[in-house]
Amino acid sequence: RISRRPRIPMVVTPTNNRLARYRASEIMSSPVISIDRRARVRHVIATLASCRHNGFPVVDPSGALAGTVLRSQLLALLHNPQTIMIPLPEAGGGGGGGTNAPPP
């Protein structure tokens, strides 16, 4: 089942049918490298420097999935912090995380 949370881009159909035969455990790292939704910038930078992953689960303080973030999104925010417009909702508040484009 695919979650349809606001502001979180999700891949609805596989872009490469070759990947459909694999299990997540065969293509994902273990243990999972995640980013806490309350992480400080220095921790995000250290995480990006420590691996070459393109995406990360974002977790709340209990370890529950709060959303996902791409390396490219994090790098864009680090290069231009003014693009951060709305804080992530608190756990249990519904919706998802992510970045928002500046208003028109």
Side-chain angles (χ1 to χ4, degrees):
R1 180 175 168 186
I2 295 176
S3 174
R4 299 192 187 278
R5 295 179 175 226
R7 297 185 212 98
I8 300 177
M10 301 296 282
V11 176
V12 177
T13 57
T15 57
N16 185 338
N17 290 333
R18 290 182 310 138
L19 297 178
R21 69 175 184 244
Y22 292 102
R23 294 176 187 253
S25 63
E26 295 174 308
I27 57 175
M28 296 181 71
S29 67
S30 180
V32 173
I33 298 174
S34 62
I35 297 177
D36 188 294
R37 69 181 306 133
R38 302 168 302 157
R40 298 207 178 268
V41 172
R42 69 177 173 260
H43 175 75
V44 172
I45 291 170
T47 300
L48 292 173
S50 72
C51 67
R52 297 181 62 192
H53 296 344
N54 289 317
F56 302 89
V58 177
V59 296
D60 68 17
S62 71
L65 182 65
T68 58
V69 66
L70 299 174
R71 175 181 288 271
S72 60
Q73 292 171 318
L74 292 170
L75 292 173
L77 290 171
L78 290 170
H79 289 290
N80 187 7
Q82 291 79 17
T83 59
I84 301 173
M85 301 293 292
I86 299 173
L88 294 173
E90 290 301 316
T99 61
N100 296 310

